[in-house]
Amino acid sequence: MSDPMDLLRSNLSRVRIPEPTNRIYKQECCLSFDTPRSEGGLFIDMNTFLAFGKDCVAWNYEKTGNKVYLHIKQTKKVVAEDRPLKKPTLLGIGIDGGFDNSELEYEETYTIVILPDHVTLPFPSVELPEKVRLAVDAILMAEGAERKEQVAAWIADKKQTSAYAMNLQQIDNGVIVPPSGWKCIKCDKTDNLWLNLTDGMILCGRKNWDGTGGNNHAIDHYNETHYPLAVKLGTITADLEAADVFSYPEDESVLDPLLAQHLAHFGIDFSSLQKTEMTTAERELDQNTNFDWNRIQESGQDVEPICGPGYTGLVNLGNSCYLAATMQVVFSTHSFYSRYHTNQSLKVAFEMAPADPTVDLNMQLTKLAHGLLSGKYSIPDLEKDDNANATSTTRAKQEGIPPRMFKAVIAASHPEFSTMRQQDALEFFLHFLDQVERANASKPELDPAKCFKFGVEDRILCSSGKVTYNSRLDYILSLNIPLHEATNKQELEEFHKFKAEKISEGKEVSSDEIVRPRVPLEACLANFSAPEEIHDFYSTALKAKTTAIKTTGLTSFPDYLVLHMRKFVMEAGWVPKKLDVYIDVPDIIDISHMRSNGLQPGEELLPEGVPGDEVESNKPLPNEDIVSQLVSMGFNHHHCEKAAIRTSNAGVEEAMNWLLSHMEDPDIDVPISHEAQGADTLSSVDQSKVDTLISFGFQEEIARKALKASGGDIEKATDWIFNNPEASVSSDMDATTSNTTPTPIDAGLPDGGGRYRLIGIVSHIGTSTQCGHYVAHIFKDGRWVIFNDDKVGASVNPPKDMGYLYFFERLNS
C-alpha cells in the first residue's frame, strides 16, 4: 500500500479551493439526513463541496471518481450542570443570540479521507499539502449552503419605517395627553385605544369579528381626516421601537423613527410609561393559545410519544408547519410510499440525478421518503420528564429531520414558498402535486400524484331543454360550508342572546363558553352537487341570453379523495374571515351518488357556435355585476371579463378562483375578441414546433393553441399546457361544445367505487392561512397519530370536526 501522503498528492488535481460563490454543504448529507453528529459523521467532497453520509459517500466516488473528502465528526461535550444561561438578544430559540434551549454542545474533529480504501490523514497538520490546508480552511470558514438557504427559525419579520413618519404634520391644537386614565372620546372604551399622532385624538380600535376589540372609531377618524399614523396607548415604554405604531394608508404596523418627538408634541414623557396593553402582533400570537390551539394540538393530553418507521417528525424550519403537516399525510399514501421508498432506493435516485442532487426533485423526494419512512431517524432519545417527581421518569423523544433541501427544491419555482412566511397548506399541496406531475411527465405511469386526480363535469341545462357538458381535472374537492344546515340551531340562538348580553355589560365571552355551528359533511357534499342557476347564459339554441341550470359531478373517483373545507371566506366589503365552525365528518363516506356519466340517452347537445360574421354575437358576454365586484377588489377589468366568461358567469367566487389560478397565463392579456378568432389562426404557427410538442405526447390541437398563446415559444407553450390541464381548442365554458366524442379527460386516471375511509386530517389554528399553525392527524396501524412538526405521538382525541383538509382512502369493494 502506497504512502497516504503520496496518495493524497497524486489526487491534488481533483482538490479545489472554494471561492465565495461556491455552495458548500457541511451540515447534512445531500442524499440522506445524516449529519456530522451521525455515527459515521459527514464526508465533504473536496471537488464539488457536496456532503455525504457514511452509507452514501462510496456512491459518490463511484459516480464522480472524486477520491478526497474532508470528514467532519461531532461528539457530545460534557457540560457542567451549573453553567450560566446566556441572556437572549433575539426572538428565536436555539439560534445565535436567541433563547437557550439547553442544547448540548459538541466537539468537532476533522480528518482527510481518501477513497475507496478510506485512507485517513489528520487535520490540522503542517505535513498536508498547502492546497489541501487552504481548501479545508476555506470550507470550515465558509457559511454552509444549508444555513444560507434557511433563515434562522422563529425570527420575527422586521417592521418597515413608515413613509409618512419623517414628514408627519402635527396640529398645534394645545392637546396634552395625560399619563393614564385614557378613554375613547366617542365611546366608553378604556382599552385598545389609539392616539392619532397628527391631532392627538384618543379613539378605540377595530371591532373583531366576534364582537370584541373596539368600535372602529380610530379608523373612522382616519377615513374622515386622512391623518395617517396612530400609536397604541399602553404599548409605549422607554423601548420606543416596541411601541405599536399603525399606518392606515400603508395598512400595517410600522416604525416611526421620530416617535419620541411626535409624542412630546402632546406632552408625553415615554420614559416613565409602563406597558399595559399587548401589541397587535402579541395579540395575534395570544389568539393561538385559545381553544382551537389546545384542542388541535391535544395540549394537556398525556400523548404517548411514538418512534419507528413511518413515525418520524419534521423539524420546523421557521413557519414550515404547512409543509410538514401536508407531507406527513402524502407519504402515508400507498402511491407515494411505493414510488419514492419501496420501489426506488437512495442509490438509484442518486445515479439518475444530475451533478448537483440538491436541486433534483426526484432525489429530494426519495431522500424525504427514506427519512420519514425508514425509521433510521426516529430512534427514541430518552430524556427526563419535566414533571419528574421523586420517582424519576423518562420519555421517548425524537429529534426529527429538517426538510431543508426538499423545501428549497420544491419552492424554487414559487417565490412565496421560498420565504419563511406561513403559507396556505392547500396552495402548497396543489403546487407540490403540480411539480411531481411535471417531474414524472416522461413516464406518466410512474406519477404518484395521479392517485389524487379525478375528473369533474359540469352539466349545463339550457331553458331550451338542450344541454352542454364541460370537463376539467382536479386534485381536490373544494366544499362550501352551508351554515344554514347547522344541526345545533337552538343552542346557537341561545348562545347569541347570551353573547349579546355579555357585550352589553362590557364583558367578553370566554373560549369555553363559545357555541359553534355544527354542519354535517353530507350537507357540504350535497351543496357541491346541488343545481345552481347561471344567469345571462348565452344559448346557441335560442340565440339569446337565458337562465341555465348547472349541476356538477365527478367522472372518476380517485384512489385518495381530498376534501377542502372553505373556512376562509369574504365578508361584506371583501374583508377575509375564518368561519368558526365544526364539521361533523364520519369515518366512512359514500360519494357514489356524485358520479356524472356525461351525455345521456334522449339528451340533445346545444348546437355549436355559428361561424363567420356571427361568431362575435354568439360569444358569451361577461356578467357586469361579477366584473364590477372583481374590479372593486383591484383586479384588471379585462382579466375580470375573461374570468366571468371562462366560468360561464357562475358567480364572483368562481370567477375569482379562476382569475387567481390563471394570472400568469401567457394569454391572459389577449383580447377576448382575438381568442374567438384563435381557432381560425391556429394554423399560422410553425409546424415544426407543433411536431416537437406532439413528440412530447401532446395533442396537435392543444399544441397549436399553446404555441399561439405563447408567441411560438416551445418552453412557454409547454408551461402553458401544464398550467391549463383542461385546455382544448373549445375550452371556453360556453354553448359551443362539440358534438364529437373526444377521448375522456380522465382517461388513464384511477377509478373505482365511491366508498372512502378517513385516513388523514390537516388542521389549521389561527385567524388566516398566512398565520397560525398546521397539525396533521393520520390513521396508522389501527390508531390515530398526531404529527405536530417534530412531535409524534398517539392521538387521544383527534379533532375530526376541526379539519381544513380531509384525506380519504378508497375502500375496495
Side-chain angles (χ1 to χ4, degrees):
M1 184 176 177
S2 60
D3 180 73
M5 197 64 71
D6 291 339
L7 186 61
L8 176 59
R9 290 193 183 98
S10 67
N11 286 282
L12 276 182
S13 62
R14 302 295 286 269
V15 174
R16 293 170 57 214
I17 299 173
E19 298 179 2
T21 55
N22 291 134
R23 294 197 307 167
I24 301 170
Y25 291 89
K26 55 183 184 178
Q27 293 177 326
E28 179 181 297
C29 172
C30 296
L31 315 184
S32 72
F33 288 93
D34 284 1
T35 71
R37 298 176 189 178
S38 300
E39 182 184 355
L42 201 63
F43 296 80
I44 300 172
D45 184 329
M46 294 188 67
N47 180 267
T48 64
F49 312 118
L50 295 172
F52 300 91
K54 182 183 69 172
D55 298 333
C56 306
V57 66
W59 306 339
N60 184 62
Y61 163 69
E62 292 168 9
K63 183 175 179 176
T64 66
N66 294 338
K67 292 185 175 182
V68 185
Y69 296 82
L70 170 63
H71 181 247
I72 302 179
K73 183 74 175 80
Q74 292 179 346
T75 52
K76 292 179 184 178
K77 275 185 180 179
V78 178
V79 181
E81 292 185 5
D82 58 350
R83 68 169 182 175
L85 294 176
K86 292 177 290 184
K87 183 179 178 181
T89 58
L90 286 175
L91 177 60
I93 300 173
I95 60 173
D96 292 340
F99 292 97
D100 191 335
N101 62 352
S102 302
E103 189 167 322
L104 295 169
E105 292 185 2
Y106 287 80
E107 187 172 18
E108 206 162 69
T109 57
Y110 315 107
T111 51
I112 304 298
V113 175
I114 306 171
L115 293 189
D117 297 323
H118 284 265
V119 175
T120 61
L121 292 159
F123 182 90
S125 170
V126 293
E127 296 181 8
L128 290 171
E130 183 182 21
K131 184 179 182 181
V132 174
R133 297 202 307 271
L134 290 173
V136 173
D137 286 341
I139 290 172
L140 296 179
M141 289 292 292
E143 186 173 33
E146 304 95 336
R147 178 83 172 178
K148 287 181 179 179
E149 290 172 359
Q150 292 292 343
V151 180
W154 300 114
I155 295 181
D157 288 340
K158 188 173 182 180
K159 292 187 287 189
Q160 300 299 311
T161 299
S162 172
Y164 299 87
M166 304 309 290
N167 299 306
L168 184 71
Q169 298 296 315
Q170 290 190 285
I171 299 172
D172 195 6
N173 55 5
V175 171
I176 298 296
V177 177
S180 60
W182 307 305
K183 186 170 80 72
C184 175
I185 63 170
K186 293 191 177 181
C187 69
D188 293 329
K189 292 290 290 182
T190 56
D191 60 347
N192 192 22
L193 298 178
W194 294 78
L195 170 72
N196 190 288
L197 290 174
T198 296
D199 60 6
M201 295 297 103
I202 296 175
L203 298 148
C204 60
R206 302 175 197 245
K207 178 176 285 188
N208 298 325
W209 65 268
D210 62 353
T212 61
N215 293 314
N216 293 325
H217 288 140
I219 188 140
D220 289 345
H221 185 64
Y222 163 72
N223 291 331
E224 295 168 7
T225 64
H226 298 290
Y227 297 154
L229 301 182
V231 61
K232 188 172 185 180
L233 295 172
T235 68
I236 304 168
T237 66
D239 180 13
L240 276 184
E241 279 199 11
D244 201 355
V245 179
F246 191 84
S247 170
Y248 292 104
E250 293 165 301
D251 195 28
E252 60 184 353
S253 293
V254 295
L255 289 177
D256 176 4
L258 303 180
L259 183 57
Q261 78 179 53
H262 291 157
L263 293 173
H265 181 83
F266 301 111
I268 298 176
D269 177 11
F270 63 88
S271 63
S272 61
L273 294 179
Q274 299 293 316
K275 184 173 178 180
T276 59
E277 286 261 20
M278 284 190 287
T279 64
T280 305
E282 288 170 334
R283 187 168 290 280
E284 287 177 1
L285 287 171
D286 188 59
Q287 287 173 340
N288 286 341
T289 60
N290 66 8
F291 175 78
D292 288 358
W293 178 275
N294 294 327
R295 169 94 186 278
I296 290 173
Q297 291 201 127
E298 303 194 54
S299 301
Q301 305 279 0
D302 188 16
V303 176
E304 172 200 349
I306 304 177
C307 297
Y311 296 101
T312 306
L314 286 170
V315 173
N316 195 315
L317 304 175
N319 282 337
S320 63
C321 55
Y322 65 91
L323 178 152
T326 307
M327 288 300 96
Q328 290 287 8
V329 184
V330 164
F331 279 101
S332 294
T333 66
H334 295 299
S335 304
F336 278 84
Y337 185 100
S338 58
R339 171 70 178 85
Y340 294 109
H341 185 56
T342 310
N343 299 336
Q344 181 169 266
S345 67
L346 289 173
K347 185 177 182 182
V348 169
F350 178 54
E351 289 169 350
M352 295 166 52
D356 186 352
T358 68
V359 298
D360 182 53
L361 180 59
N362 181 66
M363 180 69 251
Q364 295 308 316
L365 278 170
T366 308
K367 170 180 172 175
L368 183 62
H370 179 263
L372 289 174
L373 304 171
S374 66
K376 180 179 179 180
Y377 306 100
S378 187
I379 300 170
D381 178 20
L382 296 181
E383 61 169 25
K384 288 189 177 181
D385 194 332
D386 292 339
N387 299 318
N389 46 33
T391 57
S392 178
T393 60
T394 59
R395 298 184 66 78
K397 179 183 179 295
Q398 58 166 296
E399 288 187 3
I401 55 175
R404 295 189 196 96
M405 294 183 190
F406 166 71
K407 183 177 185 288
V409 72
I410 199 68
S413 58
H414 196 291
E416 265 303 307
F417 297 135
S418 301
T419 71
M420 300 301 284
R421 291 188 288 270
Q422 181 61 281
Q423 305 294 337
D424 182 357
L426 170 67
E427 188 179 350
F428 176 76
F429 175 65
L430 294 176
H431 171 73
F432 167 75
L433 294 182
D434 175 66
Q435 295 300 300
V436 170
E437 183 178 11
R438 289 175 183 237
N440 289 277
S442 61
K443 293 185 178 180
E445 69 277 5
L446 297 179
D447 180 15
K450 66 183 179 182
C451 74
F452 295 109
K453 207 169 191 177
F454 56 91
V456 182
E457 187 171 70
D458 294 324
R459 175 184 183 269
I460 300 175
L461 173 64
C462 171
S463 58
S464 67
K466 298 179 181 180
V467 299
T468 182
Y469 285 87
N470 297 287
S471 300
R472 63 184 183 277
L473 295 173
D474 215 331
Y475 286 114
I476 54 108
L477 205 58
S478 188
L479 303 178
N480 288 320
I481 302 173
L483 294 176
H484 62 277
E485 297 282 0
T487 56
N488 58 337
K489 291 177 181 175
Q490 184 175 345
E491 293 95 326
L492 285 170
E493 288 178 10
E494 293 173 357
F495 168 67
H496 289 311
K497 290 178 184 176
F498 167 74
K499 180 179 171 182
E501 291 173 2
K502 281 266 192 177
I503 292 174
S504 66
E505 296 170 2
K507 299 177 181 177
E508 293 187 6
V509 179
S510 63
S511 60
D512 57 355
E513 292 176 312
I514 295 175
V515 176
R516 297 166 172 83
R518 283 198 166 274
V519 179
L521 179 63
E522 292 87 342
C524 302
L525 292 169
N527 180 271
F528 176 85
S529 303
E532 177 185 350
E533 287 190 348
I534 301 177
H535 301 286
D536 295 325
F537 177 81
Y538 183 84
S539 167
T540 52
L542 300 175
K543 293 185 171 56
K545 289 183 181 180
T546 184
T547 297
I549 303 296
K550 183 183 82 171
T551 52
T552 303
L554 278 57
T555 58
S556 62
F557 292 155
D559 289 341
Y560 293 90
L561 178 69
V562 183
L563 303 183
H564 161 234
M565 310 311 300
R566 292 184 177 177
K567 289 189 171 183
F568 300 96
V569 298
M570 291 288 185
E571 284 194 306
W574 299 102
V575 177
K577 168 188 172 182
K578 181 180 179 181
L579 296 178
D580 198 14
V581 60
Y582 290 138
I583 309 295
D584 285 328
V585 178
D587 289 331
I588 306 291
I589 63 170
D590 192 337
I591 62 166
S592 301
H593 62 284
M594 297 177 69
R595 171 87 66 173
S596 180
N597 295 305
L599 189 66
Q600 296 300 297
E603 287 185 336
E604 184 179 352
L605 284 171
L606 282 162
E608 294 186 21
V610 181
D613 295 335
E614 299 178 35
V615 167
E616 192 63 33
S617 65
N618 276 331
K619 289 297 291 180
L621 298 174
N623 181 301
E624 286 305 320
D625 288 339
I626 294 174
V627 173
S628 63
Q629 288 191 61
L630 289 175
V631 169
S632 70
M633 298 165 63
F635 292 112
N636 175 284
H637 188 274
H638 166 68
H639 298 173
C640 298
E641 288 186 329
K642 182 171 286 191
I645 289 174
R646 289 293 179 90
T647 54
S648 288
N649 295 316
V652 173
E653 186 171 357
E654 289 81 356
M656 184 169 66
N657 287 337
W658 185 93
L659 196 54
L660 294 173
S661 301
H662 294 79
M663 292 294 287
E664 303 301 322
D665 286 3
D667 63 344
I668 188 69
D669 291 312
V670 175
I672 297 167
S673 58
H674 291 186
E675 286 190 339
Q677 301 159 11
D680 299 325
T681 57
L682 290 177
S683 58
S684 64
V685 299
D686 188 332
Q687 183 60 41
S688 65
K689 294 180 179 179
V690 174
D691 293 339
T692 300
L693 287 177
I694 291 174
S695 70
F696 293 165
F698 302 124
Q699 296 176 10
E700 181 174 357
E701 293 83 3
I702 295 176
R704 288 185 181 279
K705 184 170 185 178
L707 285 166
K708 187 69 183 175
S710 308
D713 187 303
I714 289 181
E715 186 175 344
K716 289 181 180 178
T718 305
D719 284 341
W720 187 92
I721 294 171
F722 279 120
N723 288 326
N724 296 269
E726 75 283 3
S728 65
V729 176
S730 304
S731 65
D732 284 349
M733 285 184 60
D734 56 20
T736 60
T737 304
S738 171
N739 284 334
T740 59
T741 306
T743 303
I745 194 171
D746 54 4
L749 293 182
D751 195 9
R755 295 185 73 244
Y756 288 85
R757 177 172 59 90
L758 181 65
I759 62 152
I761 308 163
V762 172
S763 306
H764 174 264
I765 309 156
T767 54
S768 82
T769 54
Q770 305 308 312
C771 69
H773 187 59
Y774 286 97
V775 173
H777 285 77
I778 304 172
F779 191 75
K780 283 194 172 194
D781 301 326
R783 63 177 172 181
W784 283 95
V785 179
I786 180 172
F787 291 82
N788 183 5
D789 288 334
D790 57 340
K791 302 176 186 66
V792 182
S795 174
V796 178
N797 183 25
K800 296 180 185 178
D801 51 5
M802 301 178 76
Y804 177 53
L805 301 176
Y806 290 95
F807 291 74
F808 288 85
E809 181 180 40
R810 187 174 47 234
L811 290 169
N812 293 322
S813 303

